[in-house]
Amino acid sequence: MKLNRNKILFLFLFLSGLSVILYLLIHKVQKPGILPTNIYHYSIQQGQEFSEISLGDLIPGKQASDLRWSFEGNKIVNLILLPSARVRVNIPDKNWTGTDTISFVAVNRDNQQFITLGVFTVLPGKNPPELLNIPDQTITAGGSFKPIELDDFILFSVSATESIQWSWRGNENLILKIDSQNRLTVKPINKNYTGKETVTLVATNQYGLSVNQDVYFTILPEKKSIGFSLPEEIQLNSYEDDLVLKLDQTFMNQSFENENLLWQVTGLKYLSAQLIDNRYLHLRKSNPNWYGIDTASISISNKQGFSGLSKLVISLTPKSVVNLKPFIIISGKENYPINLKEYIYTNNDIPITFSVEDNDNFFSEIGQDNLLKISNKNLRWEGSDTIYIAAHLTDDFIIRASLPVIFVSRFNPPSVIQLSEQTIEQGESFSTINLNNHLIYEGKEKEEIAWSHSGGGNLQVDISSEGLAFVSSINPDWYGSDTITFSANINDRYQVNTKGIFTVYEPFFYDKQPFKPIKNIFFTGVNDGISLIKAPLSWDSDDLAALQSIIIGTLILSRYDQPLQKQVIKDRRYFNSFVMEFGEWYGRSSTPQLAALAVAGFGLATGNDKATRIGLEIFEAYFFANNINSIMKRTFGRARPGEEKGSYYFTPFGDRPNPQNALPSGHATLSFALSSVLAAHTDQVWLKALIFTPAVITGVSRIYHNSHWLSDVFLGSAIGYFVGNFVVSRHSDKVDKNFIINLLPGGVGFYYKL
């Protein structure tokens, strides 16, 4: 345990704060000047109004009509003086909450002043309702708007029992109705209405506070259609120079003899189009030497309106044929020239030029006389691939051909060495496997090798880019044998497999569930307890200085025990106050016990490892601090203040019941042990101060309840503080490597190395 000057400073600050609180409890702090005779408090909830005040009630024993009244100090609240010496209190802003203090000044006929303070408080909590977004609605003529459950869009600010009154405004062409269940129905004033209406919905609670939201209701005109639609696109391939299409059968696969349809054709670039009898489409080449692809836009309409649009793609091909051989075999040759003219023939004299697309496995080049030269990019590669060749017959027409290529490598295929079986104990780790060392293949250092795995449902396998396999158990409690198949893919040409058997021995019964967590936690507590006992052997000068400060501080404060006790018992007004009772409860043994159970249980139930660890630390701090406190109580045997034997009455190792011994305070010890553990897990100063506040209140309550001397509380607080910080530091990796907290997928595991 390492104690530094920061911890000594904490003790000094604690003593100072405790002294200030005790002083304020004993003495009344008063301002100089004229003192108010009375202070009256008036409180209402937000949305309510103050009752009228009778001025005669403010100064008992005085006739209000005999006094001259005035008001001072009000900032928010307005006062109106009424006849019969009464005052009306108004709040200009109904949404305001807070406190305003007003001085009521009364002057009698002898010019004597009487001042009474009125504290007017408007409590928050009665806020306007909050609305979620109510979606707009759009329908077509003849449709119906969906009913709106208005209460579903209320986000209640206080409770779900708040009463909401709904209303609307701003509507002209819609009929709106809100039923007793706050369900809104909307319909148009007449079935022929189309347009957009804005309705403002208003939600008001029982306090008169309201909020509103605009919702848009739109009715669109009904769409008209002729009853059928066109396909998005029609593809047409032909060798003919003149084409005649029957439009309705081409685009709709049926004939509409009696329909009055209007067809339109636009967008052609190389073909000319002529509509015959508004039913047939005649297509003709403008240039007799042109071949290629042209596109037309086809639209159709009738008397009821526009129906649809389609696209017609026409591909005219010359009377020529692509003649492909099945494939070409390349075996051990880097260059293989191919005469591309052997692959295309035509029955008319059309000039042809060739081009070739890039390929991942081959270099391709077209030289003079249309000779294609092919060389493989990797001499070790083998397999099949395709080269795509384009024959340009005209500037606008291209025929594409594919040339399959097969290459056979001169190298031997790869093989793999079988993996050795691995066997470990539960909690140990399997050895890392270099998979590439088990692969036999010429030139494997220059190849791309991709490893994968399958099987091993109980094992986690990770394979690095260098071929290193890391195998571990998915469940740390699992035992048995499992088999994993490792597969090596070499340049997408070869795949070889090897298997590995991985075994975890069955553990002894005390290493299984449910005994294992009990054993681990037991060893953790025993180890921490032994370390706490041995801690004084490793104390350095700073630790001894801190111990000396605690002893000297206890002795110094013992001189003020009896004077302070005499002052405290004079004022018992707050004996049963909530603050004092809370301090006494926070220092009970049950408080850290319940806190440890709740925090650790939450951590285990939700998988929150930090919460589980904090719950364990709270229990250890309670157990160690409570036992240290009990031993010291029995050792000193000091009488409590309530026994009226004085602060220096000691019966060391006497027959007094242990709970009746005063030094040190058990409540202060346990409260500071609990707060020290919680505060150690945050770095924010303000949050640490907030966590230690209940512990300080506990110390004050023990003195105020006449259960302990000041020095009892100081020593107990120091014990709880240092034991709590010791337990937290024990669970840090920087302190003790024998204690290990292992974060697992299912929770936190505690291990102790023997």
Side-chain angles (χ1 to χ4, degrees):
M1 181 175 64
K2 187 74 174 179
L3 303 178
N4 52 34
R5 294 179 177 84
N6 291 332
K7 295 182 178 179
I8 298 174
L9 178 61
F10 165 80
L11 294 175
F12 175 76
L13 294 176
F14 164 74
L15 288 174
S16 301
L18 185 61
S19 301
V20 171
I21 293 174
L22 290 173
Y23 182 85
L24 294 177
L25 287 174
I26 298 170
H27 301 279
K28 295 181 179 179
V29 179
Q30 297 182 340
K31 296 182 180 180
I34 297 176
L35 297 178
T37 57
N38 289 293
I39 299 178
Y40 292 89
H41 294 269
Y42 304 91
S43 297
I44 60 171
Q45 296 287 341
Q46 186 180 24
Q48 298 178 343
E49 294 182 355
F50 287 104
S51 301
E52 291 184 0
I53 300 172
S54 175
L55 295 176
D57 296 338
L58 301 182
I59 304 179
K62 302 292 182 180
Q63 290 294 329
S65 58
D66 296 336
L67 302 175
R68 299 193 309 274
W69 291 91
S70 61
F71 316 110
E72 299 177 354
N74 53 313
K75 298 179 180 178
I76 303 296
V77 176
N78 292 335
L79 301 180
I80 301 175
L81 185 60
L82 302 174
S84 302
R86 301 183 66 83
V87 173
R88 180 180 299 160
V89 182
N90 291 333
I91 304 174
D93 183 3
K94 65 180 180 180
N95 294 322
W96 174 79
T97 60
T99 300
D100 200 359
T101 302
I102 302 174
S103 296
F104 293 86
V105 182
V107 181
N108 63 12
R109 296 174 180 177
D110 298 328
N111 289 326
Q112 291 180 330
Q113 287 190 353
F114 301 90
I115 300 177
T116 299
L117 294 183
V119 181
F120 297 85
T121 302
V122 179
L123 300 177
K126 306 304 180 183
N127 298 320
E130 295 184 33
L131 291 184
L132 300 174
N133 183 52
I134 303 176
D136 303 329
Q137 293 194 37
T138 300
I139 61 172
T140 56
S144 300
F145 291 109
K146 294 181 179 179
I148 301 175
E149 302 291 342
L150 295 175
D151 287 346
D152 291 347
F153 298 93
I154 287 289
L155 181 63
F156 289 100
S157 59
V158 177
S159 67
T161 61
E162 191 172 11
S163 175
I164 300 298
Q165 180 70 35
W166 286 90
S167 59
W168 74 84
R169 62 175 182 267
N171 166 55
E172 293 182 0
N173 297 296
L174 300 175
I175 300 175
L176 285 80
K177 180 180 179 182
I178 300 177
D179 62 16
S180 60
Q181 302 298 320
N182 285 338
R183 180 186 295 107
L184 172 65
T185 55
V186 182
K187 61 182 181 180
I189 252 174
N190 61 73
K191 64 180 181 179
N192 297 322
Y193 169 74
T194 60
K196 183 177 182 180
E197 275 284 354
T198 302
V199 176
T200 300
L201 297 175
V202 182
T204 305
N205 63 15
Q206 66 265 41
Y207 308 110
L209 306 176
S210 62
V211 65
N212 59 70
Q213 185 178 135
D214 290 341
V215 183
Y216 300 97
F217 296 89
T218 305
I219 303 177
L220 301 176
E222 186 178 4
K223 295 182 179 179
K224 298 179 180 180
S225 175
I226 61 174
F228 48 79
S229 59
L230 301 180
E232 293 184 1
E233 182 176 304
I234 293 292
Q235 296 279 349
L236 181 63
N237 300 314
S238 178
Y239 294 102
E240 304 296 333
D241 292 341
D242 289 328
L243 295 173
V244 177
L245 304 176
K246 191 175 182 182
L247 291 173
D248 51 1
Q249 292 186 354
T250 300
F251 285 89
M252 291 175 281
N253 296 322
Q254 55 185 311
S255 179
F256 291 89
E257 299 292 343
N258 299 323
E259 286 283 350
N260 185 12
L261 303 179
L262 177 62
W263 295 86
Q264 289 184 339
V265 181
T266 59
L268 289 171
K269 183 177 180 182
Y270 303 105
L271 297 173
S272 60
Q274 180 182 3
L275 279 171
I276 302 174
D277 296 334
N278 197 34
R279 182 176 295 272
Y280 297 95
L281 175 63
H282 182 205
L283 298 174
R284 180 181 303 170
K285 292 198 301 182
S286 301
N287 181 357
N289 295 322
W290 177 84
Y291 294 97
I293 299 175
D294 206 353
T295 303
S297 295
I298 308 293
S299 63
I300 181 175
S301 60
N302 64 359
K303 292 182 179 180
Q304 286 73 32
F306 175 77
S307 174
L309 181 69
S310 184
K311 182 167 66 175
L312 175 64
V313 180
I314 309 104
S315 176
L316 291 184
T317 307
K319 296 178 181 180
S320 58
V321 186
V322 179
N323 182 24
L324 295 177
K325 293 182 180 180
F327 50 81
I328 294 177
I329 299 177
I330 302 176
S331 179
K333 295 183 180 181
E334 295 188 19
N335 294 287
Y336 192 86
I338 304 169
N339 189 350
L340 294 177
K341 285 188 176 181
E342 297 178 1
Y343 289 86
I344 293 185
Y345 70 87
T346 178
N347 57 0
N348 54 11
D349 189 13
I350 300 176
I352 302 175
T353 58
F354 293 92
S355 63
V356 62
E357 296 182 4
D358 293 335
N359 183 276
D360 294 335
N361 298 306
F362 297 111
F363 292 112
S364 305
E365 181 182 3
I366 299 177
Q368 296 179 351
D369 298 327
N370 293 322
L371 293 179
L372 173 63
K373 295 182 179 181
I374 302 175
S375 62
N376 55 316
K377 295 180 180 180
N378 184 354
L379 294 178
R380 296 182 180 275
W381 182 85
E382 67 176 4
S384 62
D385 206 343
T386 302
I387 297 177
Y388 294 95
I389 302 168
H392 301 259
L393 278 69
T394 67
D395 292 339
D396 299 309
F397 191 78
I398 301 174
I399 298 177
R400 300 185 184 277
S402 59
L403 184 63
V405 179
I406 298 177
F407 180 74
V408 179
S409 174
R410 297 192 295 266
F411 295 95
N412 295 324
S415 60
V416 68
I417 302 173
Q418 188 68 27
L419 299 178
S420 301
E421 182 178 356
Q422 292 194 41
T423 303
I424 62 172
E425 299 283 352
Q426 199 174 66
E428 297 179 346
S429 300
F430 292 107
S431 300
T432 303
I433 306 170
N434 191 331
L435 297 174
N436 290 335
N437 290 344
H438 294 75
L439 184 64
I440 302 175
Y441 180 56
E442 295 180 63
K444 64 182 180 181
E445 294 80 7
K446 300 181 180 179
E447 303 289 353
E448 291 187 8
I449 304 173
W451 286 93
S452 60
H453 66 88
S454 59
N458 297 300
L459 300 173
Q460 172 70 37
V461 181
D462 297 303
I463 303 177
S464 69
S465 58
E466 293 80 14
L468 298 178
F470 304 91
V471 182
S472 60
S473 299
I474 295 176
N475 183 356
D477 296 324
W478 174 80
Y479 57 86
S481 294
D482 212 339
T483 302
I484 299 175
T485 300
F486 294 94
S487 303
N489 185 298
I490 306 171
N491 283 341
D492 294 328
R493 290 179 288 118
Y494 299 110
Q495 181 166 319
V496 290
N497 303 320
T498 183
K499 294 184 178 181
I501 300 176
F502 300 86
T503 303
V504 179
Y505 284 137
E506 180 179 0
F508 292 104
F509 79 95
Y510 52 74
D511 284 323
K512 297 181 180 179
Q513 298 292 349
F515 305 103
K516 185 176 180 180
I518 299 174
K519 185 197 77 170
N520 291 335
I521 293 176
F522 174 77
F523 278 129
T524 300
V526 171
N527 187 37
D528 289 346
I530 294 173
S531 299
L532 180 62
I533 296 172
K534 294 166 54 178
L537 301 178
S538 59
W539 283 358
D540 56 15
S541 58
D542 290 340
D543 299 324
L544 295 174
L547 176 62
Q548 183 180 11
S549 300
I550 295 172
I551 296 173
I552 294 174
T554 303
L555 293 175
I556 293 175
L557 291 177
S558 65
R559 298 187 59 185
Y560 300 97
D561 286 339
Q562 291 190 154
L564 179 62
Q565 188 255 355
K566 292 179 180 179
Q567 292 295 326
V568 167
I569 61 176
K570 291 180 180 179
D571 187 355
R572 316 305 286 163
R573 291 179 300 171
Y574 307 105
F575 191 86
N576 294 321
S577 67
F578 170 78
V579 175
M580 294 296 104
E581 291 296 330
F582 171 78
E584 193 276 336
W585 170 85
Y586 191 75
R588 293 178 185 174
S589 298
S590 58
T591 302
Q593 293 173 1
L594 293 175
L597 180 63
V599 176
F602 170 79
L604 292 173
T606 62
N608 189 317
D609 304 324
K610 185 174 181 180
T612 305
R613 186 182 67 190
I614 293 174
L616 176 62
E617 291 170 351
I618 292 173
F619 181 79
E620 284 192 11
Y622 153 74
F623 182 80
F624 297 150
N626 189 52
N627 281 277
I628 292 173
N629 180 273
S630 297
I631 293 172
M632 295 183 69
K633 278 179 177 289
R634 179 69 66 185
T635 301
F636 292 116
R638 189 185 193 185
R640 292 179 179 264
E643 298 181 52
E644 298 182 356
K645 294 181 179 181
S647 61
Y648 295 105
Y649 184 83
F650 294 88
T651 56
F653 305 103
D655 296 331
R656 294 165 52 82
N658 190 53
Q660 297 301 319
N661 294 322
L663 184 67
S665 168
H667 279 66
T669 300
L670 297 184
S671 62
F672 270 83
L674 173 59
S675 292
S676 297
V677 171
L678 297 177
H681 289 279
T682 180
D683 294 328
Q684 301 184 34
V685 177
W686 69 269
L687 188 53
K688 286 180 180 287
L690 181 63
I691 293 172
F692 274 109
T693 298
V696 174
I697 294 175
T698 298
V700 173
S701 71
R702 300 309 288 163
I703 298 172
Y704 189 75
H705 283 160
N706 205 26
S707 298
H708 279 285
W709 307 101
L710 174 61
S711 55
D712 299 342
V713 173
F714 171 74
L715 182 57
S717 302
I719 294 171
Y721 173 79
F722 287 113
V723 170
N725 281 277
F726 171 83
V727 169
V728 175
S729 66
R730 280 288 301 164
H731 295 175
S732 171
D733 292 338
K734 298 179 181 180
V735 175
D736 192 344
K737 296 300 182 182
N738 288 331
F739 177 80
I740 301 173
I741 297 178
N742 188 19
L743 301 180
L744 303 173
V748 57
F750 303 97
Y751 299 93
Y752 179 76
K753 292 186 178 180
L754 296 176

